[in-house]
Amino acid sequence: GDCCIPFVFRVLDDTKQMIGVMPTSQALQQAKGKAMDLILINPSAEPPLCRIMKLDKYRYEQKRAEKEKTKQQRAARVDVKELKMRPNTDVHDYQVRLKKAIQFLDSGDRVKLSCQFRGREMAFQNQGRDMMKKFMEDLEGLGTANTPTMQGRTMVMIITPIKGKKTAKAEQEARKNQKNGGAKNTGNQELGVEQDLKDEVGESDIATDDDQQKPSGSLESSEVSSMATAAAVAATEKLFNEQA
């Protein structure tokens, strides 16, 4: 893992901070002082670039960077899905292929639509072009296509998806979900307003059904008890006065 090329290097430490420009012997001495390796990162730079770090860590970082690069390339890759038809394809098979094409385009893939002619069917190439034209109209503008071309006995058309374009069904589902979410939020707001009103008025100011049904002239039991106690006290005082 050591650099043995007798040149002057620009050297980075293990945190990727620039140490400076130094000869090979000094760079190796600093690497050994940290119990690390001196690794040549960019030999084509002027002067060449080295980094002081553990060799195992460097290999791990290289593998991780390679995996990330492969992942990005895979995400950026656009597959081509082929759908085959005939000039006499029936309505059911046509709808099946149309549905598949919509799924592929929504996923970001290109679609290769091919129509194969056999024998005397070569005389009906206009029928194949009309079918492909109708196919594009039924796609609801999800993609753009080149002019159909003949490759031997097969008519081929490549359909490229339009980024950000969704089918009418997908847009309808999105609007439906948004509407349901709005209705739910509205209901929660109404409940919140009702609770706020109750908090402002207070429980004592809210009339219950029992309060509304109680006659205006009726007395509470506590009031009756108080009146009876007062009458008993008055009778007792009168009796004491008579005896006196």
Side-chain angles (χ1 to χ4, degrees), residues 99-114:
K99 184 177 180 180
K100 284 290 185 182
I102 292 175
Q103 293 177 355
F104 294 148
L105 293 173
D106 280 341
S107 300
D109 297 324
R110 291 192 299 172
V111 176
K112 179 182 178 181
L113 186 64
S114 60

Side-chain angles (χ1 to χ4, degrees), residues 124-173:
F124 301 97
Q125 295 183 20
N126 290 334
Q127 184 175 345
R129 291 190 180 89
D130 292 340
M131 182 172 59
M132 289 189 174
K133 181 179 179 181
K134 183 179 184 303
F135 196 88
M136 287 300 300
E137 293 174 353
D138 293 338
L139 284 177
E140 303 176 355
L142 281 178
T144 58
N146 63 332
T147 304
T149 58
M150 291 297 299
Q151 298 179 3
R153 288 183 170 269
T154 304
M155 182 176 293
V156 177
M157 181 176 67
I158 304 296
I159 307 173
T160 304
I162 299 177
K163 293 183 179 180
K165 185 69 175 180
K166 296 293 184 181
T167 60
K169 183 177 180 180
E171 292 178 352
Q172 184 178 3
E173 288 293 333

Side-chain angles (χ1 to χ4, degrees), residues 64-78:
R64 187 174 62 179
E66 187 66 26
K67 288 183 179 179
E68 185 65 22
K69 182 179 178 181
T70 304
K71 182 179 179 181
Q72 292 177 358
Q73 290 177 349
R74 189 183 299 113
R77 183 179 60 192
V78 178

Side-chain angles (χ1 to χ4, degrees), residues 53-88:
M53 63 183 302
K54 288 287 187 180
L55 182 60
D56 293 340
K57 182 179 179 181
Y58 173 74
R59 289 173 176 171
Y60 171 75
E61 290 182 354
Q62 291 294 104
K63 290 181 180 180
R64 187 174 62 179
E66 187 66 26
K67 288 183 179 179
E68 185 65 22
K69 182 179 178 181
T70 304
K71 182 179 179 181
Q72 292 177 358
Q73 290 177 349
R74 189 183 299 113
R77 183 179 60 192
V78 178
D79 294 332
V80 179
K81 307 293 186 180
E82 183 174 8
L83 298 174
K84 297 181 180 180
M85 294 195 298
R86 297 288 305 283
N88 56 353

